[in-house]
Amino acid sequence: MKLTAIYPGTFDPITNGHLDIIHRALQLFDTLVVAVSPTQRKNSLFSLTERLALISEMVQPLANIRVVPLDGLLVDLVKKEGARIIVRGLRSALDLDYEMQLAHMNQVLCSEVETVFLSASLQYRDVSATIVREICELSGDISSFVPSTVVNYLKRKNASAK
Ligand code: ADP
């Protein structure tokens, strides 16, 4: 049986931690669908179109992966893709409560759905898109946390906002 997994998130912007989860999930599943949340309620730095383009560029060398917008309920996308698995990353106990809540809600909405947690790799466990955005806004060096393409996108974005 071929296994498709969905990796949902905001990815504002995609970090080395997200990319690590993507690479590891591709070792476990036949197909990975990265589902990018529109974040109507959160104020994202990058628009959905920008985030989709950036992630697509970053995963372009990889096989068996697609990047799609999440334009409804996650469980509906899971069903539409013929998948059963949601992949999420866990960095710390801080992530755990929120992630368990999401996993349970999704299981109530669709009992066949399973959430699989991948523990963050040691070198990325403190990397968060929010902190990366803040460091960059204050002209700090973010090159250990995001790929160089993302560094350039972030610098351009901050320059245009000034
Ligand atoms: P959210 O979906 O809560 O907006 P993100 O888009 O930032 O969060 O992240 C998507 C998923 O990737 C979440 O499960 C999050 O815990 C996980 N994640 C974020 N950063 C890392 C990291 N550095 N290492 C491992 N997993 C991460």
Side-chain angles (χ1 to χ4, degrees):
M1 193 177 71
K2 296 254 180 209
L3 286 180
T4 298
I6 313 285
Y7 180 33
T10 310
F11 308 106
D12 187 36
I14 187 161
T15 67
N16 290 339
H18 293 129
L19 283 167
D20 181 59
I21 296 290
I22 288 174
H23 281 103
R24 288 163 57 202
L26 280 169
Q27 304 293 312
L28 298 172
F29 307 109
D30 300 291
T31 306
L32 186 69
V33 178
V34 180
V36 186
S37 164
T39 67
Q40 273 118 347
R41 278 170 226 91
K42 270 196 207 172
N43 257 345
S44 64
L45 178 65
F46 292 100
S47 69
L48 177 61
T49 311
E50 287 171 322
R51 284 177 285 129
L52 285 165
L54 196 46
I55 301 166
S56 301
E57 193 177 332
M58 293 299 95
V59 304
Q60 201 261 332
L62 305 176
N64 306 321
I65 184 162
R66 282 186 296 118
V67 182
V68 301
L70 179 57
D71 53 9
L73 269 182
L74 178 58
V75 289
D76 289 338
L77 179 74
V78 173
K79 285 185 227 164
K80 189 174 136 211
E81 292 287 345
R84 281 189 57 190
I85 299 155
I86 296 170
V87 171
R88 296 285 286 178
L90 275 184
R91 286 164 292 188
S92 66
L94 268 184
D95 278 346
L96 187 66
D97 273 355
Y98 174 64
E99 292 293 342
M100 292 287 276
Q101 189 183 12
L102 280 185
H104 288 147
M105 295 303 275
N106 283 322
Q107 201 158 47
V108 171
L109 291 172
C110 179
S111 58
E112 283 115 66
V113 166
E114 286 291 350
T115 300
V116 171
F117 297 113
L118 297 184
S119 58
S121 295
L122 212 52
Q123 71 266 43
Y124 302 127
R125 56 163 289 167
D126 296 319
V127 177
S128 106
T130 307
I131 298 176
V132 166
R133 288 198 307 272
E134 285 172 7
I135 296 173
C136 188
E137 208 184 318
L138 300 170
S139 308
D141 179 7
I142 51 166
S143 57
S144 342
F145 313 129
V146 292
S148 57
T149 309
V150 179
V151 175
N152 295 333
Y153 262 71
L154 264 168
K155 282 185 178 164
R156 277 205 299 276
K157 183 59 106 179
N158 282 326
S160 67
K162 278 177 188 159

